[in-house]
Amino acid sequence: MTPVEADSPTLVVLRTLLALAVVFVLLTTTGWTTITHRPVPGPTRAAALAAWARDRIDHRPLPGPNTSAGGIAAFFARLGPARAAELAERHPLVVGNLDGAPVSLRYRANRITLGHALAAERGRVHDARLSADGRHEAQRRLDRFVSLMRPGRQILAFDPTGTGRTAEVLGDLTRARHVSVIVPGVDTNLLTFQKTHGRYGAPAGMAESLYGAERRASPGARVAVIAWADYTAPAGVGVDAMTGRLAEGGAARLVRMTEGLPGDARVALFCHSYGSVLCGVAAPRLPARVTDLAVAGSPGMRVERATELRTPAHVWAMRDADDWIADVPHLEVGGVGHGADPVAPEFGARLLSARGAIGHSGYFAPGTDSLGNFAAIGVGSYGELVCAGADSACHGGISGTEGR
């Protein structure tokens, strides 16, 4: 097809009609699915930020919420451990979510916030003024808070406001030489952060599986994995999932988080489903320490070619044969849709095998090629990757195994 034919009015009209048809189907089957926030008791970010803004140290205001991660790190370095701990006690919801603050301080602050949220939710479980559904949701939130507070869990971010956000670290983040970040997709919130059934389709289970696989792949490597559910994700496959609005907000948060990570570890992003949309939006702004960007079950990255991501990171893509996302039209018209298919050869990503994965949520299941490939990327063992085809095209231009 020539460039003139590709841009012909007839083709543009057909693409527009196809996009509108997709939206119509979504609306008739799922409705106008958008994020709604029901008020819940306990700490709110708005109130916490207002209290933070009023506070002073040595008669000086505290750094604003838009201060760079480097500026936050410098502030806490000057403050010292004792005064930093006092600040975390006074403002746990703020300190626990400050990219650039010491990791151990964030863990401590988020544990305090979790305790406050737990106490507030406990009173709702038997509140006769709530509906049966309301009390059931209160119990679910209570159970989630109890679980997140279990000894040994390292909560890097936590905000109970609305549907809630959180991030958890497996491993020693401050000493890690390789950091893997899992960016999940639709229906990600506090209640779905971990699951008993469909365990490896939830962020906590994904991280647990990847962390174990990386340690097996390279027993001596210093690795850490972050289950990063610290953005507002679309609720269901509806209008929010077909546009980039929530991805834009999440991308800003992801960039800031990667900028605020301690040390100089190499960082790999593993972006699933709508999370790959977010990663595509974030790609041009990611710091140089992000060396790999791998997407699985992607509806698109809001570009037509991998080169348009404008990132020096290796771009990897995979999709298993049973993933329904293959049936979603890969196009973008008028802000609807997310662009080209990342596993299409013309997109230009390095294509990896997902053999053994089943369905849209099976990529992190133990024993799959997809998990093995993620682990190899995470520890820099590129020579161990299994390409999607019989040849070794996905290895091209990469010099074997990186230093561990």
Side-chain angles (χ1 to χ4, degrees):
M1 183 179 289
T2 67
V4 173
E5 290 171 329
D7 293 329
S8 68
T10 300
L11 185 56
V12 170
V13 169
L14 288 174
R15 286 168 63 91
T16 303
L17 289 174
L18 179 57
L20 291 174
V22 171
V23 173
F24 176 77
V25 169
L26 287 170
L27 295 181
T28 55
T29 57
T30 68
W32 285 94
T33 308
T34 54
I35 300 297
T36 56
H37 289 164
R38 284 177 285 182
V40 295
T44 65
R45 184 163 178 78
L49 286 172
W52 175 268
R54 292 191 298 268
D55 204 352
R56 297 289 185 273
I57 288 184
D58 296 332
H59 306 291
R60 296 180 180 178
L62 304 178
N66 295 323
T67 303
S68 69
I72 295 295
F75 167 77
F76 279 99
R78 293 191 301 269
L79 198 59
R83 299 181 81 187
E86 292 174 2
L87 198 61
E89 291 282 346
R90 293 204 303 272
H91 305 285
L93 185 54
V94 176
V95 173
N97 293 283
L98 274 181
D99 292 308
V103 169
S104 59
L105 187 69
R106 292 182 66 175
Y107 295 161
R108 178 176 178 176
N110 286 321
R111 192 166 187 81
I112 294 170
T113 303
L114 273 162
H116 293 164
L118 179 65
E121 206 66 48
R122 185 171 282 121
R124 302 179 69 229
V125 173
H126 303 292
D127 191 338
R129 293 170 296 180
L130 295 178
S131 67
D133 286 345
R135 292 192 297 273
H136 176 67
E137 181 173 334
Q139 183 63 59
R140 291 182 65 200
R141 286 173 63 89
L142 181 69
D143 293 342
R144 176 63 63 247
F145 299 156
V146 168
S147 177
L148 291 174
M149 288 188 71
R150 286 176 183 160
R153 298 195 74 166
Q154 302 175 134
I155 307 304
L156 185 67
F158 175 73
D159 184 351
T161 306
T163 57
R165 299 193 299 258
T166 194
E168 181 177 14
V169 175
L170 300 181
D172 187 342
L173 189 57
T174 59
R175 296 182 63 252
R177 302 303 303 153
H178 297 274
V179 176
S180 298
V181 181
I182 294 169
V183 184
V186 298
D187 286 329
T188 296
N189 54 54
L190 272 176
L191 295 182
T192 61
F193 182 70
Q194 62 191 61
K195 297 178 180 178
T196 302
H197 304 291
R199 174 181 177 184
Y200 300 116
M206 292 176 176
E208 180 185 353
S209 185
L210 180 58
Y211 183 60
E214 288 186 355
R215 295 181 73 185
R216 290 190 295 274
S218 183
R222 301 205 309 259
V223 300
V225 176
I226 302 174
W228 190 79
D230 193 24
Y231 81 104
T232 301
V237 184
V239 172
D240 279 334
M242 290 296 294
T243 65
R245 180 178 67 87
L246 295 178
E248 290 283 352
R253 300 181 68 84
L254 180 64
V255 169
R256 186 179 175 87
M257 187 276 290
T258 54
E259 290 175 340
L261 290 173
D264 58 357
R266 296 162 61 94
V267 177
L269 304 182
F270 299 94
C271 316
H272 177 245
S273 191
Y274 189 83
S276 67
V277 181
L278 188 160
C279 288
V281 175
R285 293 172 279 160
L286 292 168
R289 69 189 304 178
V290 177
T291 58
D292 297 273
L293 200 166
V295 302
S298 175
M301 302 182 75
R302 302 196 74 76
V303 294
E304 295 302 308
R305 298 286 188 274
T307 54
E308 295 174 20
L309 294 171
R310 304 197 308 278
T311 174
H314 304 123
V315 179
W316 313 88
M318 66 173 71
R319 184 172 66 222
D320 76 70
D322 298 318
D323 193 337
W324 58 262
I325 205 75
D327 298 323
V328 173
H330 286 85
L331 50 80
E332 187 276 323
V333 178
V336 177
H338 302 303
D341 186 350
V343 300
E346 59 270 21
F347 184 81
R350 298 170 185 271
L351 303 183
L352 298 171
S353 171
R355 185 175 57 86
I358 299 175
H360 188 59
S361 301
Y363 294 97
F364 289 84
T368 58
D369 275 5
S370 48
L371 179 64
N373 279 328
F374 288 157
I377 292 170
V379 300
S381 294
Y382 299 119
E384 302 301 316
L385 292 170
V386 180
C387 301
D391 56 22
S392 298
C394 71
H395 298 133
I398 300 179
S399 57
T401 302
E402 298 288 335
R404 300 177 188 176

